Each structure stands twice: as C-alpha cells, then as structure tokens.
Amino acid sequence: MNKFLRKDLASFTPYHSPIKPYEIKLDANESPFPHHDDFKKVMSDFCADNENITRYPDTDAIKLRNQIGKFYNIDAENVICGVGSDQVIDMIIRAFISPNDKVVMPTPSFSMYKLSTIVNHGRAVEVPLDSEYEYELDKFINTIKKVQPKLVFLCTPNNPTGCILERNDIIKVIENCNCPIVVDEAYAEYTGISVIDLVNKYDHLIVLRTFSKAFGLAGLRTGYAIACKDMIDTIYITKPPYNISTYSQRASMFVLEHYEFYMNQVTNLVEERERLAFELSKLSIVQKVYESGTNFVLVKVNQENIKKFLETKLILIREYPSTSNLASCIRITVGTKDENDKLLDTLKTI
Ligand SMILES: Cc1ncc(COP(=O)(O)O)c(C=O)c1O
C-alpha cells in the first residue's frame, strides 16, 4: 500500500467492478428493459445543440428539481441532486459527521453507508438484521437511543436482502431519532411505500431516491434527496459544483415525463420476480428464497461457486463471501422473462 495513504484506510481495497463478458447481466439491480421509443430521438436532438455540450451544466439542476418537486407536490428547494444517490450519501455524511461521530445503519445493507462513513472519519455502528434478514425494529431503535448517533441510515426495501419496513414502522424509527435520518428508498417504486410526503413534517428526515433502478438510468448517474428546505440548504454546503451533467439532467426529466411507461415496466418486473422466486424455490440447490420488495431476490443456496459456474455460461449474478453475514447467499437481479428462463435452465443443469 502506498506509504502516504491515511493509516485508517490501510485495510481498504479500492472498489473495482471489472466488466466480465456476459450475455445476461443480473448482478447490479439494473433495469433489463429498453427505454421509451422517443428516448433516442429526444436525447440525440438534445446533443445536436452545441450549447448543451460545450457549456457547463446548470449546477443547481433547477429544471430537473422543479420537475421532481412538481411530481411529489413539493418545492424544488426540497430537492438536491447527486451523481447517483451514492454521491448524495457522501454529501450527507460530510455535512453532518465530524471525526469519530457515530452513524447507525443496518447490516447487511448497502455498503456505501459504511464505506462513506469511514472515509469521512465517522464511526459506523451496524445493527444486524435478524436470522431471516428482517429488521428487528426494537433493536434498531434501542441502538439509536443508546449510542446517540449523529446520523442514521434506514434502507427500505433493503439491499441486498429485499426486506421491507411498513410505513408505520419507518415512522416509528423517525420519531425515535433526534438526529438526521436518511430513509433510502432506492427500490420504493417496487413497493409503493414512501415517506416523501413527511419531509415537511419531520425536519430531520431525508429521503433518498435514484433514477438507476426503476427508471433505467444507472449509466447516467442521477440520484436525489428530498427533505425540508433547511436540511437541503445544509447538504448543499458539501455538494460539488456542476455535479450532474447536462445530458443526465435532460434524461432524468425525460423518464419523469414518461412515468407511466416506466411504472408499467415495474409492474411487469414485479410479476416476473414472483415467478422467478417460485421457480428458484423448486431447485435442489436452493435452500431458501427470501421475500423481496425490490428488483432482485436474495437466495440461500447449498452449493458453492454458483457465480463462477454461471460466469462460464455468460450469466452474471452477485455472490457473498463465506465469512460475511450473507454466507451461502447469492443475489439475482430480476431480468426479462427470457433472461430469467435462461438462468433457470442453466441452474437446473447443476
Ligand atoms: C439501497 C441503495 N441505495 C443507493 C444505491 C446507489 O444508487 P445510485 O448511486 O446508482 O443512485 C443503490 C445501488 O445499488 C442501492 O442499492
């Protein structure tokens, strides 16, 4: 390791995600569907205007924030955009966390909460889910009360387990928290459960959303947070200027303009998820398929090296180390019907 690296990062390895050859990609919870027919034309016309390319983007993404605001019946001032919700997570932590401050988060959950906390000198306090990978609400709330964190992350539906907290339970956590609390709703389109309508009721609530999943824009990296104006103004302090490219701003507006088209895809995907889960549960290599409110399923298997085997068939999935709290688990993103059938046929040959 480089001798100049900060000591507390010495055990970290950089995040790389090498693109392996594939025909079916079910490893990153992306949308498997094509974009709306008009997408290509609108975006190529947009690029044909030289000003959209040569000039810096609108650093405040005001048109996009206005549109998001209209959509949720809130003001643009209640919205802040980031290069994916990954960047918004980092902005939030940098806004609220001083060295050694505690950040409470579930585990297993989305890895960026912990990584960003540590990189920004905070201390991650992880609250384990139960043995069925469900939230233990009392334990989560008691931890918040006990450690008095400066920030809390709640991920629902949770990645990588797929488990859901009902709205009343989310509110219970919010009400038991006297620091900023981030409710990460990256997969909320798949459940319809949201607390966005409560951001002006609870001034410590920050809801996180992304265009990477249901709206198929993972490659363009737009995410956003919704909170009361004062909270958004605070997070703005750590927002890098010009963070969202002009192209990404326009594409994000396009998908909101065609909301129903993308929500139809969500409906199809949810149906396909249930079919895939049912078919997976019949396989001899499968011990358990966990219930999911997302576009993926977590599966406990009784066979090692399934990921490697599938890679030889050009199918990518996610696997977890045997030393982690997800030992023997694989995570499969729901693909198109055809992709899921090919995956199932391939798994049957094991
Ligand atoms: C729970 C959760 N939050 C946030 C993200 C980050 O999404 P993005 O940075 O693409 O908006 C992901 C991506 O997988 C996720 O699963």
Side-chain angles (χ1 to χ4, degrees):
M1 198 46 83
N2 183 296
K3 65 182 175 188
F4 299 111
L5 177 70
R6 271 165 47 187
K7 294 279 173 291
D8 59 326
L9 296 187
S11 64
F12 279 64
T13 43
Y15 183 95
H16 291 298
S17 188
I19 305 276
K20 302 204 166 114
Y22 69 87
E23 274 167 14
I24 300 179
K25 190 170 186 309
L26 306 175
D27 62 341
N29 305 342
E30 297 140 328
S31 167
F33 300 119
H35 272 282
H36 188 282
D37 281 349
D38 294 345
F39 185 83
K40 233 190 223 171
K41 166 110 178 60
V42 167
M43 295 314 295
S44 62
D45 285 355
F46 187 73
C47 289
D49 182 344
N50 201 45
E51 291 285 296
N52 287 332
I53 307 298
T54 55
R55 305 299 176 194
Y56 280 104
D58 170 13
T59 188
D60 287 320
I62 196 66
K63 281 189 191 158
L64 173 59
R65 287 167 61 223
N66 261 323
Q67 199 181 9
I68 294 169
K70 255 192 220 145
F71 198 77
Y72 293 114
N73 209 14
I74 48 173
D75 294 330
E77 290 162 326
N78 293 119
V79 183
I80 187 167
C81 295
V83 179
S85 37
D86 279 349
Q87 187 181 53
V88 188
I89 291 168
D90 195 60
M91 281 160 22
I92 292 169
I93 292 173
R94 284 189 293 124
F96 298 111
I97 296 305
S98 301
N100 291 320
D101 280 349
K102 290 174 189 151
V103 183
V104 165
M105 60 194 72
T107 184
S109 191
F110 185 50
S111 59
M112 287 307 290
Y113 311 143
K114 184 175 181 184
L115 183 65
S116 236
T117 296
I118 295 172
V119 168
N120 290 305
H121 307 278
R123 279 160 62 190
V125 179
E126 297 180 284
V127 188
L129 303 181
D130 71 13
S131 57
E132 292 296 300
Y133 298 127
E134 295 284 342
Y135 274 101
E136 275 187 78
L137 208 62
D138 287 344
K139 186 158 90 179
F140 200 81
I141 290 172
N142 287 340
T143 306
I144 293 172
K145 286 183 179 163
K146 191 168 142 209
V147 309
Q148 294 290 311
K150 289 288 174 7
L151 183 64
V152 171
F153 281 95
L154 199 58
C155 186
T156 174
N158 188 43
N159 176 16
T161 62
C163 69
I164 298 171
L165 274 180
E166 293 301 333
R167 185 175 149 97
N168 282 348
D169 289 335
I170 304 171
I171 293 173
K172 225 188 247 176
V173 182
I174 297 169
E175 291 189 340
N176 275 286
C177 201
N178 51 19
C179 65
I181 171 164
V182 179
V183 179
D184 188 342
E185 295 187 353
Y187 301 94
E189 283 83 6
Y190 302 99
T191 65
I193 299 172
S194 173
V195 287
I196 287 178
D197 59 309
L198 300 179
V199 294
N200 286 317
K201 176 169 181 195
Y202 298 108
D203 63 4
H204 61 309
L205 170 62
I206 305 165
V207 180
L208 210 56
R209 285 285 182 120
T210 180
F211 288 104
S212 299
K213 311 297 176 187
F215 298 101
L217 293 183
L220 299 187
R221 316 295 299 121
T222 319
Y224 56 98
I226 297 183
C228 70
K229 181 179 177 311
D230 181 55
M231 186 64 93
I232 294 296
D233 285 347
T234 309
I235 303 169
Y236 239 89
I237 295 170
T238 59
K239 185 185 95 61
Y242 309 117
N243 54 337
I244 317 287
S245 76
T246 310
Y247 190 86
S248 296
Q249 292 183 33
R250 180 64 191 96
S252 304
M253 289 175 66
F254 178 94
V255 295
L256 282 182
E257 286 156 12
H258 297 82
Y259 181 77
E260 279 190 11
F261 172 84
Y262 291 95
M263 286 313 284
N264 272 336
Q265 293 185 338
V266 166
T267 306
N268 291 340
L269 188 127
V270 168
E271 276 171 21
E272 223 4 65
R273 179 190 71 209
E274 293 309 301
R275 183 185 76 90
L276 175 66
F278 179 67
E279 294 298 328
L280 283 167
S281 68
K282 294 198 265 183
L283 300 180
S284 60
I285 55 161
V286 169
Q287 209 170 311
K288 176 159 189 176
V289 183
Y290 294 89
E291 240 176 76
S292 170
T294 65
N295 64 344
F296 59 83
V297 282
L298 186 73
V299 183
K300 188 157 261 181
V301 289
N302 50 30
Q303 185 93 25
E304 282 178 9
N305 292 327
I306 290 180
K307 176 173 178 262
K308 243 191 199 150
F309 167 73
L310 288 175
E311 273 171 17
T312 65
K313 309 290 177 193
L314 300 177
I315 300 175
L316 306 184
I317 60 153
R318 183 84 189 262
E319 192 174 65
Y320 296 94
S322 57
T323 50
S324 76
N325 48 11
L326 286 163
S328 307
C329 285
I330 56 175
R331 191 192 67 190
I332 302 171
T333 305
V334 182
T336 60
K337 180 175 185 310
D338 194 37
E339 289 174 331
N340 299 331
D341 282 342
K342 282 186 183 142
L343 168 81
L344 288 162
D345 287 345
T346 310
L347 287 174
K348 279 176 197 160
T349 66
I350 296 181

